[in-house]
Amino acid sequence: MRELLPELRDWLTAGTPFALATVVAVRGSAPRAPGAAMAVASTGAVAGSVSGGCVESDVYEVATETLTTGLTELRTYGISDDEAFGAGLTCGGTIDVLVRPYVAPTDRDALRELVDTVAAGEPVALATVVSGAARRGARLLVRNGRADGSLGDEGLDAAVTDDARGLLAQGATGGIRYGAHGERRMQDVTVFVQTYAPAPRMLVFGAIDHAAATARIGSFLGYRVTVCDARPAFATRERFPTADEVVCAWPHTYLESTPVDARTVVCVLTHDPKFDVPLLAAALRTPATYIGVMGSRRTHADRLARLREAGVDEAGLARLASPVGLDLGARTPEETAVSIAAEIIQHRWGGTGRPLAELSGAIHHAPL
């Protein structure tokens, strides 16, 4: 929906009523992912798309109706029938589309707050009841510091707020099911959580087979993945098809020129001193949340000595996760990537890394 925000801002400013249709679930093949949206103004103007053309006409009609009734509607569109006149998808998949009118001043004010927050570059998540034992269309705006609005139940609000912050940390969007009072592993209420934050970055240095596996699992976890290596024969798009970008440059030079924030994770897989030492010295000057370094214990000891010689203090050295990963007994590049990903998740949420069967208490950890 991010691409619709300029139009929504204009309609809010002009006082133009409109309805917003959002893809809240996808099953099978579908043209657009959850979060895709189309807005229909009372003037007849349309912005955005929910299916690339397959069901837009029907969604337009539903949106127009909601502007009259004021009711939020949920419609499901499956495979099209060539011999019927009903709307459908030619791709064979199924999508659920939530159509919500923005006519009432309170609803419009809440959406304006979302639009303004996104425009200011602040991370925010919008949770909306899709179906079940809660009022369809009820909304909760979740930020790192507070939550505004309500889904109709304190327990549900608390559970959704917790999960929304988790999705926001990952830059992920999706539907979650709860009990009527926020109970986990129940399916009484479906809530769609749409986040507005850039995906956190994963910077992978060293174009080796372990890097390819790490890039794949990084993408799976929702990171925007960059692979960097100084060797042009290795740093190629063909070798890293799942990475968002592949950069051929000296690692420390690239790191010093690219944005790094407190959500960025750095994986140094080169285990070559001429790359590692200047790269790690540069990485330790950034706010990156995690800096994992591959290598044996002997390699790590040698690396620490070189970094001390380069002027890195003990506090900086303590930030390094090396040897990288959790002790899973990993052997292959793919297994190693899983151990790295597990350590990143543990670091993010403050987990122990121990089997849950050996522990008691809360399973989900609050962010550190």
Side-chain angles (χ1 to χ4, degrees):
M1 190 178 79
R2 187 184 294 270
E3 68 275 12
L4 301 185
L5 295 182
E7 285 88 353
L8 298 185
R9 180 188 290 276
D10 289 344
W11 294 345
L12 288 167
T13 300
T16 304
F18 60 87
L20 185 62
T22 305
V23 176
V24 296
V26 171
R27 295 176 291 283
S29 177
R32 302 294 304 275
M38 182 177 89
V40 178
S42 60
T43 60
V46 179
S49 168
V50 292
S51 73
C54 301
V55 303
E56 266 69 8
S57 294
D58 192 74
V59 172
Y60 178 91
E61 296 299 330
V62 176
T64 302
E65 291 175 9
T66 66
L67 289 175
T68 300
T69 65
L71 301 176
T72 298
E73 300 285 347
L74 178 66
R75 297 296 173 93
T76 297
Y77 299 95
I79 186 169
S80 63
D81 183 347
D82 292 337
E83 297 183 2
F85 291 100
L89 300 177
T90 59
C91 56
T94 302
I95 61 173
D96 293 338
V97 179
L98 187 73
V99 186
R100 192 186 196 286
Y102 285 88
V103 178
T106 53
D107 291 338
R108 295 171 64 83
D109 289 345
L111 189 63
R112 185 187 299 276
E113 186 174 2
L114 170 66
V115 171
D116 290 344
T117 302
V118 174
E122 300 175 19
V124 61
L126 177 64
T128 307
V129 173
V130 172
S131 62
R135 182 175 62 85
R136 179 177 293 162
R139 301 152 43 93
L140 188 67
L141 198 64
V142 180
R143 281 165 280 204
N144 288 331
R146 72 177 195 271
D148 297 310
S150 176
L151 305 182
D153 180 88
E154 289 186 6
L156 182 60
D157 288 347
V160 172
T161 297
D162 185 47
D163 288 341
R165 286 175 177 154
L167 290 173
L168 192 56
Q170 301 174 50
T173 284
I176 311 176
R177 293 179 176 179
Y178 303 90
H181 304 294
E183 300 92 340
R184 309 285 182 176
R185 301 176 64 84
M186 296 183 68
Q187 301 187 24
D188 298 330
V189 181
T190 300
V191 178
F192 182 70
V193 181
Q194 187 159 15
T195 64
Y196 297 87
R201 300 190 70 192
M202 173 182 282
L203 306 179
V204 181
F205 295 96
I208 62 175
D209 50 359
H210 288 80
T214 302
R216 287 196 297 272
I217 202 166
S219 296
F220 175 76
L221 292 176
Y223 286 93
R224 177 173 177 80
V225 179
T226 298
V227 176
C228 176
D229 195 292
R231 302 166 295 178
F234 292 88
T236 65
R237 168 57 61 187
E238 292 73 21
R239 298 188 70 231
F240 302 96
T242 64
D244 293 283
E245 59 180 346
V246 180
V247 176
C248 184
W250 276 85
H252 72 281
T253 301
Y254 173 73
L255 183 62
E256 291 171 343
S257 66
T258 194
V260 175
D261 62 22
R263 299 189 302 151
T264 303
V265 300
V266 177
C267 300
V268 179
L269 310 181
T270 50
H271 50 79
D272 183 333
K274 69 176 177 290
F275 293 117
D276 289 358
V277 173
L279 171 59
L280 291 173
L284 290 169
R285 292 193 293 269
T286 73
T289 184
Y290 172 90
I291 304 173
V293 196
M294 178 173 280
S296 66
R297 298 191 188 282
R298 187 170 75 174
T299 298
H300 178 57
D302 176 71
R303 184 187 293 126
L304 291 179
R306 292 173 183 268
L307 287 169
R308 289 187 182 99
E309 291 176 3
V312 177
D313 60 21
E314 296 304 313
L317 297 178
R319 293 179 60 196
L320 300 179
S322 180
V324 70
L326 296 186
D327 178 19
L328 304 181
R331 291 287 188 272
T332 67
E334 290 74 18
E335 290 173 347
T336 301
V338 170
S339 77
I340 293 171
E343 185 173 48
I344 290 171
I345 295 169
Q346 178 200 27
H347 180 83
R348 178 193 297 165
W349 298 111
T352 65
R354 295 172 55 197
L356 288 172
E358 296 178 358
L359 302 173
S360 61
I363 293 176
H364 300 283
H365 291 254
L368 297 176

